[in-house]
Amino acid sequence: MAGQDDERGHDERGQDDERGEGDERGQGASAPATWRRFARERVAQRRFAARQLAELRGYAGRGLVAGTVAVHLVAGLAPVAFMLGTGLALRDLGSDAAIGWLALAAGAFLVQQLVAPVQLVLSRRVQRRVDAACIERLATFSLRGASLAGLERPEVADRLSQADEAFEQWTLTPGAAVEGALALTARYTQLVGSLVVLTWAAGPWAALAGALVAIIARLGQTEAFHRWGDVIRSLAPLRRRANYVRELATGTRAAKEIRTLGLVDWLDDRYVAENRAVLDTLWTRRRAVYGAPFVAYTVAALIGSVIGLLVVARADVDVAAVSVAVQALILCGRFGVIFPESDVKLVYGRGAWQALLELEDIARRTGPEPAAAAPGARLTPQRSVRLDDVRFGYTTDRAVLDGLDLDLPVGTSTALIGVNGAGKTTLVKLLTGMYTPQSGAVRIDGEDLRTLDVDAWQAAFAITFQDYLRYELPLRENVAMAAIAHRDDDEGIRAELERVGLGSLLAELPDGLDTPLTRALPGGRDLSGGQWQRLALARALFAVRHGASVLVLDEPTAQLDARGEAEFYDTFLELTRGVTSLVISHRFSTVRRADRIVVLDGGRVTEAGTHDELVATGGQYARMFDVQARRFADEAGAGSPDEPDDPFDHSAAAGAGATGGAR
């Protein structure tokens, strides 16, 4: 990707320079050597920044950029023309020429007022074009270009948070950086014009003094801004922690627990502590950046300004020339102020772009780059899906899956059980291609998934994860998310809602399928935990209706009551007939209906067979089943004497199989 190699090279050069500079200082390096190293480092940084901005500028389009630069040039020349016109009018006061010079000044002033809104419109258009391209790039990469393992890395999360924050505010974005860079055209045009006028009015020495004042003042400002941008980027982890606590305190996601558990004071103290961690560091580093160094630059610029004024005062020129020269020197001195249209946008906006490049680089290096699937492409297994001697771990010191072999014949149902941490959910992530095995392979009809189109493979899945999402969208989209191209299939959506027991809910909603499932929107309604889980099941079944051939359900009935669970599994085999299905569950009332049951332990499959076969062998499955059966029998005996003898009978009570020990 353009810019990444340069960035890594720049980072490495920066680290080498810092180490070298530290070594020289430790050995008593001379001041000239230190300043040479400093100058080389800053030149490299500015060249790198220029390459980044050039890449971003391409998103705006040549025509728009050229037009914007031309308007900025006019805006920069207008104050110079005004300054020259007023000065010469003063010189020729009382003559006909003064009227012409005053007309020039008035025209320049009028042009400046007319150009200002045009500058704003064109600049905003540049920003919008660049930001639209960057947002598309960020979204495309996050959803398609990065592996899940890459996105879960903390350094990627820090940079993603920085990029997201920029686009949420819509002010300090990569597009704003391009806008700010182009706006410097007016400033530097004004400076060059002022130096030309100063040379004419008071001679080259006055112009040299003005140029030195401008360069020193600008260098001090840009150096401070550059260092401050590094400070802001270095605080990304602390700021992410503080933002998380703030969102936790102000959002509705955790509001019930915060209030019922009495966590308000604790959360308030935590918020203060996290923000102090950011602000204390910020204030300390700010004093270092804007303290002594900034005073030194200010004093140097002030001395240069005094020298320039003395040169003008000693020059043998008339009062008009002196007036023009003084105005030009003042403009040079103003290069030490912050340019609101450029400086902040350049530092923070380019920082957001750099964060985007870095997160792409880091995330991509953690795994293979997925191939792009054709729209609607789906890879359907014909014979079997197999995990062959798969080894995988999130850290190098612990393998979650260690030599796992598992065969999923097409058209059959498989149930997967195991204790907590056995790797069941990790297995699903590997099966779907979200993670890549460190050794071994996931094979589809004998072909290694690494050689196939992962997007097309994932399109074959209908999945309900244990932590399924609750979309704050209308009911229609909540069901159709698994096959969004068919969101207008009202008949299919209604049918799946009926199959999972939500037909009565649909009749109660004021706007039917178009009712938002959130109280935060007008006319919206929230659902109970059990209703949300049924909705997640309807989403998976809707995907099967529209062609998904592999169904994965991770604890699909965890939030359903006993009757709801029993009803669902009574019809489960009918709902998934001909579909390759994998069900993960704690409850043996669920797994005993599968064609094949697999026990996962120690990262491997330790037992496999039907329910009757596994009970007969007396292994781990039989012991876990016995625990649940005895617990249910105890609970049934303590409740109603009319409860059925079979703890996993197809009844409302049967679905209440306890959850002890099965995960």
Side-chain angles (χ1 to χ4, degrees):
M1 185 186 64
Q4 289 181 347
D5 294 335
D6 291 337
E7 182 179 338
R8 288 195 292 273
H10 166 68
D11 291 342
E12 292 169 1
R13 286 194 300 273
Q15 293 171 1
D16 292 340
D17 288 346
E18 289 175 5
R19 287 193 292 269
E21 186 174 343
D23 293 341
E24 286 189 2
R25 287 174 179 172
Q27 299 170 7
S30 64
T34 300
W35 276 103
R36 284 197 298 272
R37 182 176 296 278
F38 172 81
R40 287 198 302 271
E41 182 182 347
R42 290 298 174 262
V43 169
Q45 289 170 346
R46 279 157 177 73
R47 289 177 60 188
F48 174 66
R51 287 194 296 271
Q52 284 189 327
L53 290 170
E55 183 180 358
L56 279 171
R57 190 179 61 221
Y59 289 133
R62 291 184 178 180
L64 178 59
V65 170
T68 305
V69 169
V71 171
H72 285 319
L73 282 170
V74 173
L77 289 173
V80 177
F82 178 83
M83 177 175 59
L84 187 62
T86 54
L88 293 176
L90 181 63
R91 184 194 63 181
D92 298 335
L93 195 62
S95 66
D96 293 339
I99 298 176
W101 294 123
L102 287 175
L104 173 64
F109 178 79
L110 181 61
V111 167
Q112 190 172 12
Q113 302 308 309
L114 294 175
V115 163
V118 179
Q119 280 181 288
L120 181 61
V121 170
L122 292 179
S123 295
R124 290 293 183 269
R125 194 165 185 179
V126 168
Q127 179 181 359
R128 284 196 297 271
R129 282 193 182 181
V130 173
D131 286 342
C134 289
I135 291 173
E136 181 179 357
R137 177 170 175 165
L138 176 62
T140 300
F141 177 79
S142 299
L143 295 173
R144 305 180 66 89
S147 66
L148 181 61
L151 291 176
E152 289 178 342
R153 292 171 64 95
E155 58 268 38
V156 172
D158 291 337
R159 288 160 175 82
L160 187 59
S161 175
Q162 183 179 352
D164 281 342
E165 184 179 347
F167 289 121
E168 285 175 2
Q169 295 174 350
W170 282 106
T171 52
L172 304 178
T173 59
V178 176
E179 174 196 353
L182 295 179
L184 287 176
T185 303
R187 294 282 185 171
Y188 281 96
T189 299
Q190 192 176 6
L191 174 63
V192 172
S194 298
L195 291 176
V196 170
V197 171
L198 188 57
T199 303
W200 166 80
W205 289 111
L208 179 61
L212 290 175
V213 168
I215 292 172
I216 292 172
R218 188 63 187 158
L219 180 62
Q221 193 63 258
T222 56
E223 171 65 15
F225 260 81
H226 176 83
R227 293 177 60 194
W228 188 244
D230 289 341
V231 170
I232 295 299
R233 283 189 289 272
S234 70
L235 292 176
L238 294 177
R239 291 168 60 209
R240 185 159 60 95
R241 288 166 60 98
N243 287 339
Y244 171 76
V245 176
R246 174 179 54 78
E247 292 170 2
L248 199 65
T250 59
T252 58
R253 182 165 55 98
K256 291 182 292 186
E257 288 194 11
I258 290 172
R259 286 163 174 75
T260 56
L261 297 178
L263 298 177
V264 175
D265 291 338
W266 174 86
L267 194 60
D268 184 58
D269 293 340
R270 184 64 179 269
Y271 181 69
V272 171
E274 296 294 350
N275 276 277
R276 291 293 302 188
V278 176
L279 295 176
D280 287 347
T281 305
L282 206 64
W283 293 332
T284 300
R285 300 288 295 275
R286 188 174 182 86
R287 285 191 292 270
V289 170
Y290 288 102
F294 209 66
V295 171
Y297 282 114
T298 302
V299 170
L302 181 60
I303 293 173
S305 299
V306 172
I307 292 174
L309 288 173
L310 291 175
V311 171
V312 171
R314 294 175 62 87
D316 186 16
V317 294
D318 57 31
V319 66
V322 170
S323 172
V324 172
V326 169
Q327 291 183 68
L329 278 174
I330 292 174
L331 190 146
C332 292
R334 289 184 59 209
F335 258 65
V337 303
I338 295 174
F339 296 162
E341 76 278 15
S342 298
D343 290 339
V344 176
K345 295 176 181 179
L346 273 169
V347 171
Y348 292 97
R350 197 174 66 83
W353 172 242
Q354 188 166 329
L356 193 155
L357 295 179
E358 289 174 355
L359 77 88
E360 287 182 348
D361 184 37
I362 297 170
R364 185 173 285 121
R365 283 188 279 116
T366 62
E369 186 172 348
R378 179 177 283 134
L379 180 60
T380 303
Q382 301 300 317
R383 300 187 305 276
S384 70
V385 180
R386 178 173 177 78
L387 285 82
D388 187 8
D389 193 25
V390 167
R391 286 176 172 79
F392 178 84
Y394 296 97
T395 59
T396 57
D397 59 338
R398 180 180 178 273
V400 178
L401 301 178
D402 189 10
L404 180 139
D405 291 302
L406 177 62
D407 189 48
L408 304 175
V410 167
T412 64
S413 60
T414 302
L416 183 66
I417 67 169
V419 298
N420 285 325
K424 300 184 293 298
T425 301
T426 300
L427 183 152
V428 173
K429 292 176 180 178
L430 289 164
L431 178 65
T432 55
M434 287 185 281
Y435 284 89
T436 302
Q438 291 157 352
S439 66
V442 177
R443 302 187 186 278
I444 292 79
D445 295 332
E447 295 290 330
D448 191 333
L449 181 57
R450 296 182 183 90
T451 66
L452 302 175
D453 190 326
V454 175
D455 287 338
W457 171 236
Q458 290 173 351
F461 279 84
I463 300 181
T464 298
F465 287 106
Q466 188 173 8
D467 55 345
Y468 55 86
L469 285 179
R470 304 181 179 192
Y471 296 100
E472 294 186 359
L473 294 170
L475 176 59
R476 179 192 309 279
E477 278 76 12
N478 263 280
V479 176
M481 275 295 182
I484 197 63
H486 302 279
R487 60 183 173 275
D488 294 329
D489 179 12
D490 289 8
E491 181 181 350
I493 293 173
R494 293 177 185 276
E496 300 307 337
L497 289 172
E498 290 284 352
R499 294 170 85 179
V500 298
L502 290 178
S504 59
L505 170 68
L506 181 59
E508 296 171 2
L509 296 178
D511 294 321
L513 293 178
D514 296 316
T515 303
L517 298 186
T518 172
R519 293 195 181 99
L521 295 176
R525 173 174 171 180
D526 201 359
L527 305 182
S528 68
Q531 288 174 323
W532 273 114
Q533 184 147 48
R534 290 174 185 269
L535 187 58
L537 290 170
R539 187 182 304 151
L541 295 176
F542 187 73
V544 172
R545 169 182 284 264
H546 288 285
S549 57
V550 183
L551 176 65
V552 177
L553 303 177
D554 189 355
E555 295 293 352
T557 59
Q559 296 194 51
L560 298 185
D561 57 24
R563 183 176 302 278
E565 183 186 25
E567 289 173 351
F568 175 76
Y569 282 109
D570 277 344
T571 57
F572 173 72
L573 293 179
E574 178 187 347
L575 296 177
T576 59
R577 194 178 306 279
V579 176
T580 307
S581 61
L582 176 66
V583 180
I584 301 172
S585 181
H586 285 111
R587 302 184 180 183
F588 286 84
S589 58
T590 300
V591 302
R592 69 177 297 174
R593 291 167 169 78
D595 296 331
R596 184 163 168 261
I597 301 169
V598 173
V599 179
L600 188 63
D601 188 26
R604 299 184 179 187
V605 172
T606 57
E607 298 180 41
T610 64
H611 169 76
D612 292 337
E613 290 171 348
L614 293 178
V615 170
T617 60
Q620 183 180 5
Y621 177 86
R623 292 191 297 273
M624 296 167 70
F625 175 80
D626 184 59
V627 169
Q628 286 197 12
R630 282 189 286 106
R631 177 181 297 178
F632 179 81
D634 293 342
E635 292 177 356
S640 169
D642 296 328
E643 294 289 350
D645 294 333
D646 182 359
F648 298 105
D649 188 19
H650 289 193
S651 65
T659 60
R663 192 168 173 89

